[in-house]
Amino acid sequence: MKHLVNVCWMYHDIMDLYGDKGNIMVLKKRCLDRNIEFHLDTCGIGEQKDLSQYDLIFLGGGADKEQISLIPDLLSRKENIKKAMDEHTFVLLICGGYQLFGQYYIAADGSKIEGLKFYDYYTDTGKEGKRCIGNIILEADLDGLKTKIIGFENHGGQTENVKSPLGKVLKGYGNSFDAGYEGFYDGKILGTYLHGPLLPKNPQVADFVITKAIQKRNPDFSFNDLQPLEDLFEEKARKALLDRFQIK
Ligand code: GLN
């Protein structure tokens, strides 16, 4: 059976910090290498789209200015995004996108950006303009798949009240300066501060996201049903970073 992954990249033209578009490139390549059909659609401000039709919604990171400009459009899609999530569309959110699924984000200039309020977490801004910047490594458990997730973070936002974090921080900051934990994962959305972009350095996370997307149409599909790929360069890059930070 030929599988299909139908992706909607929201606000692709403005929410694309630190190479977030690389996440889409990796998803596409890892699908095509396995003969999985890959459809990519984009959704900009004002465009009519039924987001519940997609297997995966992707929203990248952005500066405060971009977050402010898209928020009226995002809030107008709240019911449709809820429908998509209820109907098992998986949602991958990076940094600025992650913040907007919570209660609110207080931007660096003090203005309050209301979130979609799907979750209890909320984001305040770093005091005196301080930002969490640098390489970051987490230990995560994705539905039983134990993996180290490697990336780069650069956010002023300090996200608090995260009930179900993505992983434990081994190196770097995470949801806030002293959080000890990073991101959010609840089976429906994976939100993270990790850029880099996230997926090239984390092929297991890429395959996990592909699995979640396929499960929308095929609930019995599992991670182990994906044909293994040779991740030579990915493994070399991971080893270099883990060695640099002396993480086993
Ligand atoms: N503007 C947000 C912040 O600084 C998000 C930044 C980002 O997406 N990297 O916290």
Side-chain angles (χ1 to χ4, degrees):
M1 172 184 185
K2 184 153 175 159
H3 292 292
L4 163 69
V5 170
N6 191 13
V7 183
C8 186
W9 182 5
M10 295 188 74
Y11 312 118
H12 62 291
D13 46 352
I14 51 174
M15 294 294 273
D16 180 21
L17 270 185
Y18 314 116
D20 282 340
K21 74 158 76 64
N23 292 318
I24 295 288
M25 292 163 79
V26 166
L27 291 173
K28 180 175 180 183
K29 173 100 175 79
R30 295 184 81 81
C31 282
L32 297 186
D33 282 357
R34 294 169 163 128
N35 201 25
I36 296 169
E37 222 174 299
F38 185 87
H39 287 179
L40 176 63
D41 209 351
T42 55
C43 178
I45 292 174
E47 262 182 76
Q48 288 285 327
K49 289 274 148 86
D50 177 3
L51 297 167
S52 67
Q53 298 302 303
Y54 297 94
D55 305 317
L56 177 69
I57 294 172
F58 172 69
L59 174 51
D64 294 3
K65 194 171 86 185
E66 277 91 44
Q67 289 172 283
I68 290 167
S69 69
L70 68 78
I71 200 67
D73 185 88
L74 184 69
L75 296 182
S76 75
R77 298 180 194 271
K78 182 170 175 167
E79 282 315 309
N80 189 228
I81 297 172
K82 181 165 184 330
K83 179 171 188 275
M85 287 161 66
D86 288 346
E87 293 176 4
H88 306 288
T89 295
F90 193 60
V91 182
L92 177 61
L93 302 167
I94 310 294
C95 199
Y98 162 41
Q99 294 169 342
L100 299 179
F101 269 55
Q103 296 291 311
Y104 59 81
Y105 167 49
I106 310 277
D109 68 359
S111 53
K112 185 174 184 182
I113 306 171
E114 293 297 337
L116 286 163
K117 302 189 199 302
F118 289 136
Y119 296 101
D120 291 339
Y121 64 78
Y122 54 87
T123 307
D124 207 338
T125 210
K127 298 286 164 275
E128 295 141 22
K130 289 208 179 99
R131 301 180 66 82
C132 301
I133 303 177
N135 286 298
I136 171 162
I137 302 178
L138 326 174
E139 192 153 55
D141 183 334
L142 296 167
D143 297 353
L145 172 73
K146 292 193 174 25
T147 185
K148 291 197 173 64
I149 309 183
I150 302 173
F152 164 78
E153 61 184 326
N154 184 354
H155 52 105
Q158 305 290 296
T159 302
E160 309 281 351
N161 202 25
V162 182
K163 304 256 165 73
S164 150
L166 170 65
K168 187 174 182 330
V169 175
L170 302 178
K171 145 93 194 145
Y173 300 105
N175 282 327
S176 62
F177 279 108
D178 54 3
Y181 287 87
E182 201 284 328
F184 182 91
Y185 173 68
D186 71 343
K188 291 178 162 197
I189 76 160
L190 191 161
T192 177
Y193 275 112
L194 274 61
H195 296 276
L198 170 74
L199 300 181
K201 283 183 205 153
N202 300 289
Q204 284 195 309
V205 179
D207 286 353
F208 179 75
V209 171
I210 291 169
T211 304
K212 296 293 279 187
I214 291 176
Q215 282 172 348
K216 168 140 179 160
R217 290 163 210 269
N218 304 274
D220 294 334
F221 190 86
S222 83
F223 183 86
N224 293 326
D225 293 330
L226 285 176
Q227 177 198 324
L229 300 177
E230 192 187 47
D231 291 326
L232 214 62
F233 292 110
E234 291 82 348
E235 288 311 328
K236 277 191 175 174
R238 289 176 64 79
K239 187 173 179 323
L241 277 154
L242 292 170
D243 286 353
R244 191 193 304 172
F245 299 112
Q246 294 168 3
I247 293 172
K248 290 252 175 294

